[in-house]
Amino acid sequence: MIPASAVTAVGQMRHGDHLLLGYDTDEERETVLAAFLLDGLASGHRGLLLPPADMPAGVALSFLEAHGCRVDEEVAAGRLCVDAHLATPEGLWDLDEMIRREARRAVGDGFLGLRVCTEILRSQAGKGLKTLHDSELLLDPVFAALPVLGICQYDSRVFDESELAPLAGLHHGLVGADQVWRDDLLTITRTFAPPGLALAGEVDDTNVTAVARALHAERARPASGARIRLDLHELHFIDVGALRLLVFSALALSAVDGTLVLAGVAPHIQRVMRVTGWDRVPGLRFEPDGDTP
């Protein structure tokens, strides 16, 4: 089994994957699930959502509409389904049998596989979480034998770390949002709590356009808006051209009363910005370590 600390980008999931999503915000949950389900539609899979409450499919899947999905059409065609099974008293007890049955039904209906998303409420977990642990253990043979892949969602604001750690060990690993950019030097990922972007590796003239594109897209993100936070803790090198891009972006944000917040800036990069005076441009702010909002 892959260590629980391993995080798989949702776009890299394969048949048999049974991964845990411990999300901090609704935006993070919807971003991951939307990619998972829409990838499934493009791959000939049926998507099955098991919400913790009985609700109409159009309501449970409404977050997909922001991603261009015509939910009503997909539900009518049977490509997306919602089942309130987890909201029933027997919800967790026979979850493995339910998913086994639905996977076989999807194949019987001509689909190439089943993508299932479960959402567990803290109140459904059972005394001492034993019911939930047993239920997760019984799922493994189902994922091993059938063309099914799944995401089990746990709200990190409700389940604490001591509860999530053993639950993660019952999965094949963790799942996270797709990376915004990745090349041999640089990885750009979206962060959710707080919202923003995280840069890891090196930025030079070969990938600075990817940073510019990511910053531009971030301005359209409702959770960020005119305040963009860049986490640079894992950034080892940035050339002068890329620093000028950050200055330019900060000035543009300042013009609309916005701010570019830089977190985790390495001392040698801060020194370059002090020497050039770029650390004093309007709209640019350095976030002290331990000052995460």
Side-chain angles (χ1 to χ4, degrees), residues 9-22:
V10 62
Q12 296 176 326
M13 289 184 67
R14 299 291 181 267
H15 280 179
D17 281 342
H18 169 213
L19 304 182
L20 182 146
L21 171 64

Side-chain angles (χ1 to χ4, degrees), residues 21-259:
L21 171 64
Y23 63 92
D24 294 307
T25 68
D26 292 343
E27 182 198 21
E28 181 177 13
R29 169 187 172 274
E30 293 177 1
T31 297
V32 173
L33 291 196
F36 181 64
L37 293 172
L38 297 181
D39 285 350
L41 293 177
S43 303
H45 296 170
R46 170 178 282 164
L48 172 62
L49 187 69
L50 303 178
D54 191 1
M55 61 180 73
V59 174
L61 294 167
S62 60
F63 65 94
L64 294 176
E65 293 173 354
H67 299 266
C69 178
R70 296 181 177 180
V71 171
D72 289 344
E73 292 181 12
E74 300 296 348
V75 171
R79 292 187 286 268
L80 289 176
C81 303
V82 174
D83 192 310
H85 186 80
L86 280 176
T88 64
E90 67 273 15
L92 284 172
W93 288 103
D94 64 345
L95 183 60
D96 58 320
E97 286 300 327
M98 188 269 185
I99 293 179
R100 181 180 286 109
R101 182 172 63 250
E102 290 300 324
R104 288 172 173 162
R105 180 178 297 170
V107 173
D109 289 343
F111 292 94
L112 301 181
L114 178 71
R115 294 186 176 224
V116 58
C117 314
T118 67
E119 170 85 62
I120 310 296
L121 289 183
R122 184 66 181 80
S123 59
Q124 293 172 318
K127 186 177 181 181
L129 299 177
K130 185 177 185 306
T131 302
L132 181 54
H133 285 206
D134 291 347
S135 176
E136 291 281 12
L137 279 173
L138 290 171
L139 287 177
D140 242 14
V142 181
F143 284 86
L146 293 168
V148 58
L149 52 167
I151 293 176
C152 298
Q153 310 157 64
Y154 290 89
D155 190 336
S156 299
R157 298 164 295 187
V158 178
F159 289 86
D160 63 37
E161 194 65 31
S162 65
E163 294 171 330
L164 282 181
L167 286 169
L170 301 175
H171 294 74
H172 301 165
L174 308 179
V175 63
D178 286 327
Q179 291 158 344
V180 176
W181 173 265
R182 183 181 182 87
D183 62 17
D184 291 340
L185 294 178
L186 175 69
T187 299
I188 305 175
T189 55
R190 181 180 290 184
T191 62
F192 294 92
L197 298 168
L199 276 56
E202 302 178 6
V203 184
D204 61 19
D205 62 347
T206 67
N207 51 31
V208 68
T209 300
V211 177
R213 185 180 298 168
L215 286 168
H216 180 74
E218 191 67 13
R219 291 188 62 170
R221 181 178 171 186
S224 291
R227 183 185 186 278
I228 297 178
R229 180 179 184 272
L230 283 186
D231 185 335
L232 305 181
H233 283 90
E234 299 299 323
L235 189 70
H236 308 303
F237 172 79
I238 181 168
D239 70 8
V240 173
L243 287 176
R244 289 172 61 87
L245 168 67
L246 299 186
V247 170
F248 177 84
S249 300
L251 289 170
L253 286 168
S254 176
V256 293
D257 295 326
T259 308

Side-chain angles (χ1 to χ4, degrees), residues 270-290:
Q270 289 197 41
R271 182 179 180 186
V272 171
M273 298 191 78
R274 282 199 304 272
V275 169
T276 56
W278 289 341
D279 62 328
R280 298 188 295 276
V281 302
L284 187 67
R285 186 171 78 80
F286 291 87
E287 179 182 291
D289 284 343

Side-chain angles (χ1 to χ4, degrees), residues 260-271:
L260 178 65
V261 179
L262 304 182
V265 183
H268 67 282
I269 297 175
Q270 289 197 41
R271 182 179 180 186

